[in-house]
Amino acid sequence: MKSVITPLFLLFLLLPSPVQTPVPIEREPRHRLKFENRYVRLFDVLIPQGDESLYHTHTHDGVGIKLTDARIRDGELGGKPADVEVKRGAVNFTHFPKPLTHKVGNVGGTPFRNIFVEILPPTATPANAESLAPVPGYTLVLENDRVRVYRLALAPGQETELHTHALRGLGVAVSEGEISFGAPGKKSKTVKFQPGDFRWHEGGTKHSLRNVGTTPFEAVDIELK
């Protein structure tokens, strides 16, 4: 009996492995959907060391915000995978003129965490869409026909001036921190952030921000066009 089973077993090992059927991004278990409205979907992506995602398909443009230093292996379906070093705090915009199917593996020595904000089909741009660039604490990172993205950096005790977000969007914390939000005619509100925490704001939101914690605070603010 062994002489029959062994050759069959070896033949099974030599057969090509079946290709995993790609899934939509929202069904990929390492892409955790944390927020959704008519404008965006926010995925908190976490891939531990030595782990990899399923093949999944992107159909909408999006902004990625890296929350850890990591080494990943990005492989498009049917293509050759490439290793990429990512840095904490890095921001990128990805355009998908056609659906992209790929998988991501963590081949480094640290967990890989990425906030991916998927931009849903565009809406009309508000008439009043001036930049926040002159506001101390904010630095323009990138801008295109879909988004305007800023980096916010506040030292302990530092405060922005009162400013208005002409465009709707959301802020994503890169570091932990304790921020006091002030708005005209309203009592200030203090929020404690952890990396990956986020806040949605509508167009026309007017406020100031003050770092009331003891460590520098960093966040990324995405405004939608």
Side-chain angles (χ1 to χ4, degrees):
M1 180 63 72
K2 288 184 178 180
S3 62
V4 176
I5 294 176
T6 301
L8 289 176
F9 180 69
L10 291 175
L11 179 61
F12 175 77
L13 291 178
L14 293 173
L15 291 174
S17 300
V19 177
Q20 174 238 312
T21 302
V23 298
I25 183 174
E26 64 271 15
R27 289 177 52 198
E28 205 295 304
R30 293 151 195 85
H31 289 67
R32 303 166 296 173
L33 181 62
K34 295 293 186 177
F35 177 76
E36 179 177 11
N37 62 18
R38 58 186 290 195
Y39 307 107
V40 301
R41 293 195 300 180
L42 184 148
F43 293 91
D44 189 340
V45 184
L46 179 62
I47 303 180
Q49 299 163 249
D51 193 15
E52 66 178 9
S53 73
L54 301 176
Y55 277 110
H56 58 281
T57 302
H58 293 268
T59 57
H60 298 296
D61 299 344
V63 176
I65 305 164
K66 308 300 182 288
L67 297 184
T68 57
D69 293 334
R71 186 165 181 251
I72 61 173
R73 181 164 295 159
D74 192 341
E76 188 173 348
L77 183 65
K80 184 178 180 180
D83 289 1
V84 181
E85 298 283 346
V86 299
K87 296 296 182 183
R88 175 187 170 277
V91 178
N92 69 288
F93 177 85
T94 307
H95 176 50
F96 297 108
K98 61 180 182 179
L100 170 72
T101 298
H102 74 151
K103 68 176 178 179
V104 177
N106 184 345
V107 294
T110 57
F112 170 59
R113 190 176 177 202
N114 177 45
I115 299 296
F116 184 71
V117 180
E118 188 180 59
I119 313 300
L120 300 180
T123 56
T125 304
N128 182 20
E130 63 270 10
S131 171
L132 278 179
V135 178
Y138 286 93
T139 304
L140 184 64
V141 175
L142 65 87
E143 182 172 10
N144 56 36
D145 61 343
R146 302 300 310 277
V147 296
R148 182 186 290 150
V149 181
Y150 300 93
R151 189 180 307 279
L152 172 66
L154 294 176
Q158 184 179 358
E159 183 176 11
T160 71
E161 62 190 52
L162 187 66
H163 58 277
T164 301
H165 292 269
L167 301 173
R168 64 175 60 91
L170 50 76
V172 178
V174 174
S175 67
E176 63 180 55
E178 192 170 356
I179 301 298
S180 176
F181 292 82
K186 297 182 180 180
K187 185 178 179 180
S188 62
K189 181 180 180 180
T190 299
V191 179
K192 291 185 177 181
F193 288 96
Q194 293 296 323
D197 288 349
F198 56 89
R199 285 173 65 91
W200 174 262
H201 62 75
E202 290 294 336
T205 296
K206 180 180 289 188
H207 60 194
S208 61
L209 285 70
R210 183 170 185 267
N211 184 351
V212 295
T214 58
T215 58
F217 177 70
E218 182 181 349
V220 169
D221 194 272
I222 303 169
E223 293 191 333
L224 309 178
K225 293 187 176 182

